[in-house]
Structure formats: structure tokens, C-alpha cells
Amino acid sequence: MLSESSYLTAIYVYCGAAIMVVLCLAWWLGRRWPNGWVALLVLLAAALLLTPAYPQPGADTMAPATVVAAFQLATEGLDSARHAIKPLGYSCGLAVILALLLRVTLVRRRPAAVPPKPETRAAEED
């Protein structure tokens, strides 16, 4: 069993690595895809990597919900994994809603620059 300090160290290392993966994903996709899609994928990745869940119903410590759900699905089936899938569903839903809000407010497309009309160009040259 882990001691308290080794458990905290493991959680810090996992969270740091997950944040680095999310930042690298944002940097890599941000150069290639439109900003709305990047926000959606980065927030979904953060939700999947950083959502915690209890490994067992009586446990005192938490673990990443994706890992808990995968192990519970593989070993004991869907019914035992529901306690980890439920927070994953909520956090992914919140990520989608937040990405939509970001798309509507901050990550909007800029309107295309309208070229000046020929009459105004002729008037400016005189």
C-alpha cells in the first residue's frame, strides 16, 4: 500500500503529466485546426485525463476515472464501472458546454475585411 507522501507524489506526477499532454495537444492542434475544434478537443482531453473517481466504493483515495473505468470494465463489467463512468460523463458534458460557450463568445471568427468601394478609392487618390 502507498504511504500518504508517495500517494500525493503519484497524484502530482500524474496531474502534471496530464496537464503537459493537454498543453502539447493544444499547441499542436492550435497550429493546424480552427480554434473552436481545438477548444473542444483540449477540454475533452482534460476532462478524460483529470477527472477523479474512487477505485472501490469504500476507498479513501482517488484515482483517474478513465483508468478506474477501464480496469473495472475489463475485470468486473459495466455495472461495477458505473461509479467511474458517471463522473466522466458529467465532466465531458461540461467540457462540451464550455467549448460551445467559448466558441460563441471568445473564439469567434473575425469578419473578413471588406475592400473599399471603387468610388472611395478614386476620391482618396484625388
Side-chain angles (χ1 to χ4, degrees), residues 7-59:
Y7 170 74
L8 288 175
T9 302
I11 290 295
Y12 292 150
V13 168
Y14 177 81
C15 288
I19 289 170
M20 290 301 294
V21 166
V22 168
L23 289 175
C24 287
L25 184 69
W27 177 74
W28 186 65
L29 289 178
R31 300 176 62 169
R32 292 166 175 79
W33 287 14
N35 290 338
W37 288 108
V38 172
L40 176 65
L41 288 176
V42 166
L43 288 171
L44 279 174
L48 289 173
L49 290 173
L50 295 172
T51 301
Y54 289 108
Q56 299 170 356

Side-chain angles (χ1 to χ4, degrees), residues 100-122:
L100 286 173
L101 287 174
L102 282 172
R103 176 71 174 99
V104 170
T105 58
L106 299 177
V107 191
R108 291 183 292 177
R109 286 187 190 153
R110 293 184 181 154
V114 178
K117 295 181 182 178
E119 303 90 40
T120 57
R121 246 191 268 160

